[in-house]
Amino acid sequence: MSRAPAPHGRTGRPPLTSRAQILLTARRLIDEDGWEKLTIRRLAAEIGIGATTLYHHIRNKDDLLLLLVNQHIEQTGRPPLPGEPRERIVTAATAMHDALAAWPWAAEVLSADGFVGLLDESAMWMVEAIVAAADDHGCTPEQSVDVFRSIWYYTVGEVLVRAHSARRHDEGRPFAYRDDLDPAQVPHLAAIGVRWAELAARDVYPEGLRTFVDGLLARATPRASG
């Protein structure tokens, strides 16, 4: 009696796995369920390999997330950067905002000081562009870092607030806006009332960014010439 062939995947060498395949699968899982629910065990099972095999390609979940962030930033198109420092900062910050807004979980991963040291150099171009433009404006190194950090906080905050608000709405848990506020206690908020939702939904990031950049550069003390 001849022996029936063994089922595929049960014998022989384990399937070959590439880092590209790992990142592609991890990104899909994050898009489906969020980065918080991604685990090494689940990722390995999705690919069809053991967790031990996966660790040959990545050190841990934090390493995986950084690889994904670097890949995402590197795949983001670089707009032409203007020569004028103010406009260069606005252009780079807008590109940074758009990259994060397209994948808000990346903002969550990077929402801590010191993240710049974790990025690949090729993914640092937005940071470099802003710091270099501040330097060209005449800022000191300290002021240039302050310019970037202030813009970063503003940008990440805007992206995360909008992403979390959209998620709550999709889950059927939007915040309710009150129409019974006491004008004697909070007259301006009572006058706005439920219009707050409409007003908060407007995209004012570009206008706010330009105002913010103007204020940051105006506060900087230009280097002494000569």
Side-chain angles (χ1 to χ4, degrees):
M1 179 181 296
S2 61
R3 179 179 298 177
H8 291 294
R10 296 291 184 181
T11 61
R13 294 183 178 180
L16 294 177
T17 304
S18 67
R19 175 170 288 187
Q21 180 187 9
I22 293 171
L23 296 182
L24 182 64
T25 304
R27 177 155 187 161
R28 176 173 59 79
L29 293 176
I30 289 174
D31 288 341
E32 292 174 356
D33 301 317
W35 69 276
E36 303 94 334
K37 295 183 179 179
L38 178 66
T39 65
I40 296 299
R41 184 180 298 276
R42 183 187 177 195
L43 176 59
E46 193 74 17
I47 298 174
I49 60 176
T52 302
T53 302
L54 196 58
Y55 282 121
H56 289 309
H57 298 271
I58 58 174
R59 291 191 295 271
N60 48 44
K61 180 178 176 179
D62 288 341
D63 181 45
L64 172 63
L65 293 176
L66 285 173
L67 287 171
L68 286 166
V69 170
N70 278 306
Q71 181 190 65
H72 178 64
I73 296 176
E74 290 168 2
Q75 291 176 347
T76 300
R78 298 192 187 190
L81 294 177
E84 199 277 318
R86 174 185 180 272
E87 290 304 314
R88 202 184 324 155
I89 292 174
V90 169
T91 299
T94 300
M96 182 169 64
H97 172 273
D98 293 347
L100 294 176
W103 218 21
W105 79 268
E108 295 269 14
V109 174
L110 299 177
S111 57
D113 283 329
F115 77 89
V116 172
L118 302 176
L119 295 176
D120 293 341
E121 290 184 358
S122 58
M124 292 182 183
W125 73 266
M126 300 173 192
V127 183
E128 170 69 17
I130 293 173
V131 172
D135 179 79
D136 289 347
H137 176 75
C139 294
T140 65
E142 294 80 5
Q143 292 166 345
S144 297
V145 171
D146 289 345
V147 167
F148 170 76
R149 288 178 71 247
S150 297
I151 292 173
W152 173 251
Y153 290 171
Y154 170 61
T155 301
V156 169
E158 202 273 348
V159 168
L160 291 182
V161 167
R162 290 198 176 277
H164 291 170
S165 299
R167 183 167 62 184
R168 288 184 64 92
H169 184 273
D170 293 342
E171 294 173 349
R173 303 183 301 116
F175 287 111
Y177 293 88
R178 296 174 54 182
D179 59 0
D180 60 347
L181 296 174
D182 184 357
Q185 297 293 324
V186 285
H188 293 85
L189 294 179
I192 294 173
V194 295
R195 288 192 63 223
W196 188 282
E198 168 197 345
L199 299 177
R202 297 174 301 157
D203 180 11
V204 297
Y205 176 82
E207 177 184 353
L209 174 62
R210 290 181 176 276
T211 302
F212 204 20
V213 172
D214 286 342
L216 289 169
L217 295 182
R219 292 179 57 191
T221 303
R223 296 186 299 267
S225 59

